[in-house]
Amino acid sequence: MTNLLTAHQIHQACELWRHHETVAVPTETVYGLAADATSDQGVASIFHMKGRPQFNPLIVHVATLEKALEIAVFSPLALQYAAAFWPGPLTLVLPRTPQSPLSHLVSAGLDTVAIRIPAHPMTQQLLQAYENPIAAPSANRSNDISPTSAADVYSSLGKKVPLILDGGSCSIGLESTIIDLTEDVPVVLRPGGLCIEELKALMGSIMEHEQQTSSTVLKAPIFKAPGMMKRHYAPQRPLRLRAERPYPGEAFLAFGPHHPYADLNLSTTGCVREAAASLFRMMRQLDAPPFTGIAVSPIPMTGLGVAINDRLTRAATPADISS
Ligand code: TXA
Ligand code: MG
């Protein structure tokens, strides 16, 4: 699979955005359903296609820091995060600039904006070619498992998307880590593709400088991101966590070596990064007949394991207590 788009594909995508349409694009985290972030109509069609509640704001994607500075107010700390981790799987929540051209629908009426610079070469090509920032949530129906391939996008949103660009499998496979920098203390709103250890290794002195930070980071007050519902990323079948072996009828999604009952294994070597990249794909594969449920091995809370456990816990939450 080539890692670059043709001039024709770039032209097609930009023309669709100019006409307030959506395009599904690969990123290094998951596929995004993308539209012009300054277009009320474009953004509204993202909400409509996903069946997403409008109180749940979207992430805005730009090619460069210069572009980011036009739409968000960066504190010195925010600039350090950007320098350390962009392009990459990190989203920063920052105040909107007063003159921001972004549609208010993007922020669901909040005075903040979630913004990131993706690293995927195809997304970079598109963002560099297009004149405006691009809003893109994951390209799945609201509450479904996020797509990590073009085929996943097609199976979740079908023919409704005018153009699905195929960039192969996403290398990270989990959504970006979201950090809120609008308060005195940085707060992780969603664990994701950039692991907390990596953040701490580089930003440690700053985070520890703030008294409450280390506990705040690990306890991740996930309710602050309006979209962090208790039930999310969910397969149709019930999920049972920390399972040693499957019950009759269940599929077994294993992790680590020595799993004779495994239907699929997230990583036979016990590597959480490999598990992250396979998680959504394997959940989709096992969410099918003849299985009646999915049992999942325990996953350690190290590195991307934090984000994997976050997604699994939400996916295992019964529908009637979702928010
Ligand atoms: O990796 C990713 O982040 C992918 C790719 C496509 O970039 N995008 C993604 O978007 O996961 P989405 O819409 O599925 O998740 C966006 C999350 C939601 O939980 C939303 O509530 C939160 O970001 N969010 C967006 N704007 C926010 C804001 N201003 N304040 C707090 N949370 C915000
Ligand atoms: Mg999503």
Side-chain angles (χ1 to χ4, degrees):
M1 171 66 55
T2 166
N3 271 335
L4 288 179
L5 297 168
T6 62
H8 174 67
Q9 287 174 307
I10 296 171
H11 175 76
Q12 257 187 311
C14 292
E15 277 302 297
L16 284 163
W17 286 333
R18 283 179 198 119
H19 289 91
H20 317 286
E21 301 270 6
T22 58
V23 178
V25 300
T27 85
E28 70 278 24
T29 56
V30 298
Y31 275 69
L33 184 63
D36 185 324
T38 68
S39 158
D40 286 339
Q41 208 185 320
V43 175
S45 76
I46 293 178
F47 281 101
H48 178 72
M49 282 170 132
K50 282 181 61 84
R52 178 170 173 127
Q54 295 219 354
F55 60 78
N56 186 4
L58 309 179
I59 294 176
V60 175
H61 301 69
V62 290
T64 60
L65 182 59
E66 204 186 346
K67 297 259 184 198
L69 293 169
E70 290 170 16
I71 55 175
V73 182
F74 281 70
S75 63
L77 180 62
L79 289 174
Q80 289 185 48
Y81 274 89
F85 300 110
W86 279 351
L90 175 68
T91 295
L92 299 178
V93 174
L94 300 167
R96 284 169 69 116
T97 53
Q99 76 282 11
S100 168
L102 297 180
S103 161
H104 282 281
L105 280 176
V106 164
S107 302
L110 300 171
D111 52 11
T112 55
V113 60
I115 178 166
R116 93 176 178 100
I117 300 182
H120 196 291
M122 286 186 183
T123 335
Q124 274 290 334
Q125 281 181 293
L126 293 165
L127 294 173
Q128 277 165 24
Y130 195 59
E131 50 276 16
N132 290 328
I134 289 297
S138 50
N140 52 279
R141 280 200 60 79
S142 200
N143 288 345
D144 269 7
I145 301 171
S146 293
T148 54
S149 70
D152 289 348
V153 177
Y154 192 80
S155 78
S156 192
L157 294 173
K159 293 189 180 128
K160 282 194 282 184
V161 192
L163 177 64
I164 300 176
L165 295 171
D166 191 347
S169 294
C170 301
S171 59
I172 294 176
L174 289 176
E175 300 86 347
S176 60
T177 299
I178 306 180
I179 300 202
D180 182 359
L181 292 178
T182 62
E183 308 287 336
D184 295 344
V185 178
V187 176
V188 176
L189 299 183
R190 176 176 76 183
L194 180 67
C195 67
I196 307 290
E197 287 95 324
E198 257 177 274
L199 272 168
K200 279 188 158 176
L202 265 148
M203 307 301 289
S205 58
I206 291 151
M207 296 184 114
E208 273 158 29
H209 182 71
E210 311 278 358
Q211 276 268 300
Q212 309 155 23
T213 304
S214 53
S215 60
T216 313
V217 163
L218 286 174
K219 282 184 194 141
I222 48 184
F223 314 107
K224 261 204 87 177
M228 294 304 279
M229 287 80 159
K230 285 194 204 99
R231 178 178 167 82
H232 202 188
Y233 313 100
Q236 305 292 312
R237 283 161 183 71
L239 209 65
R240 189 166 61 83
L241 306 185
R242 290 175 286 280
E244 295 302 331
R245 57 174 58 83
Y247 294 154
E250 278 182 336
F252 188 41
L253 182 55
F255 175 84
H258 317 303
H259 281 294
Y261 305 105
D263 290 290
L264 291 173
N265 196 319
L266 288 164
S267 169
T268 50
T269 58
C271 166
V272 283
R273 187 164 289 276
E274 184 190 2
S278 306
L279 178 70
F280 291 152
R281 174 174 48 85
M282 291 188 173
M283 268 166 54
R284 279 173 187 271
Q285 276 176 276
L286 297 179
D287 191 19
F291 302 120
T292 53
I294 307 170
V296 190
S297 280
I299 313 283
M301 284 290 274
T302 51
L304 292 185
V306 176
I308 295 175
N309 280 296
D310 171 80
R311 303 303 188 272
L312 285 172
T313 306
R314 287 173 206 288
T317 301
D320 56 355
I321 63 164
S322 76
S323 55

